[in-house]
Amino acid sequence: SFTLGQRSNVSFNESKWIDTLTFTAEYFFSNENWTRHDYQNYLGFLAGKTSYSDKLAAGAYFEQYRNSRHYLYTSIYFSNFILIDFTFGNDFVFNLEDKSFLFQPSVVFSFAEGEAEAGLKAVFYSGKKDSEFGSLLGDTNLILFTQLYF
């Protein structure tokens, strides 16, 4: 397994509408993950299960980001964008084998002198029904969260 990537931070000290732009691009490979053929076999196995308890037990084998050997990840974040203490960002994960992906825009508000955050994330999944991100139960998730750092 290995990850190749680049992360870049650009500060805009003179700007009144943005403080920092952070861009990340990574390629991830793991020979321990399933191949596309392995994942297709798993979906076929699930389809053959008739009872809910059998499907639930078979679902224990599923782990997100372990169903392909090749992934591409990119993100872009704007810190203190237009409003102080707000960060707007987008994450994108692309499964290079089955061409499915997830897209995750977010907005985060920092408070308590940067020791806490509250935010909203939307996660959009896309792909064919036999792909990793296209075979999930839903195609959209909305996440409201808070975090406290100490």
Side-chain angles (χ1 to χ4, degrees):
S1 296
F2 64 88
T3 301
L4 299 173
Q6 174 67 38
R7 182 180 188 136
S8 300
N9 289 318
V10 179
S11 296
F12 299 93
N13 298 332
E14 304 297 320
S15 175
K16 295 180 181 178
W17 59 274
I18 187 172
D19 183 32
T20 305
L21 171 111
T22 303
F23 175 76
T24 305
E26 295 179 351
Y27 166 76
F28 175 76
F29 171 80
S30 175
N31 58 348
E32 295 177 5
N33 285 2
W34 289 352
T35 65
R36 178 160 170 70
H37 182 71
D38 294 335
Y39 189 64
Q40 298 287 330
N41 288 341
Y42 172 71
L43 290 177
F45 174 72
L46 274 182
K49 298 297 177 190
T50 55
S51 73
Y52 179 75
S53 61
D54 287 346
K55 287 186 185 241
L56 189 60
Y61 291 105
F62 178 84
E63 289 184 58
Q64 201 166 28
Y65 312 117
R66 303 266 309 158
N67 303 305
S68 174
R69 293 184 176 195
H70 305 275
Y71 290 97
L72 180 66
Y73 168 77
T74 62
S75 70
I76 189 164
Y77 282 84
F78 301 93
S79 300
N80 296 322
F81 184 63
I82 300 176
L83 300 169
I84 294 177
D85 295 326
F86 276 90
T87 298
F88 296 87
N90 290 300
D91 293 287
F92 182 77
V93 179
F94 184 67
N95 180 323
L96 293 167
E97 288 188 68
D98 66 18
K99 311 299 186 257
S100 65
F101 65 88
L102 71 81
F103 175 68
Q104 179 178 288
S106 63
V107 59
V108 178
F109 174 69
S110 297
F111 58 97
E113 298 179 12
E115 298 295 323
E117 294 179 338
L120 180 66
K121 294 179 183 181
V123 185
F124 301 98
Y125 301 98
S126 182
K128 295 179 182 178
K129 289 191 184 284
D130 64 347
S131 66
E132 178 175 10
F133 299 121
S135 64
L136 299 174
L137 293 175
D139 58 6
T140 304
N141 290 331
L142 192 58
I143 303 165
L144 180 62
F145 67 93
T146 59
Q147 297 179 1
L148 178 62
Y149 302 102
F150 54 92

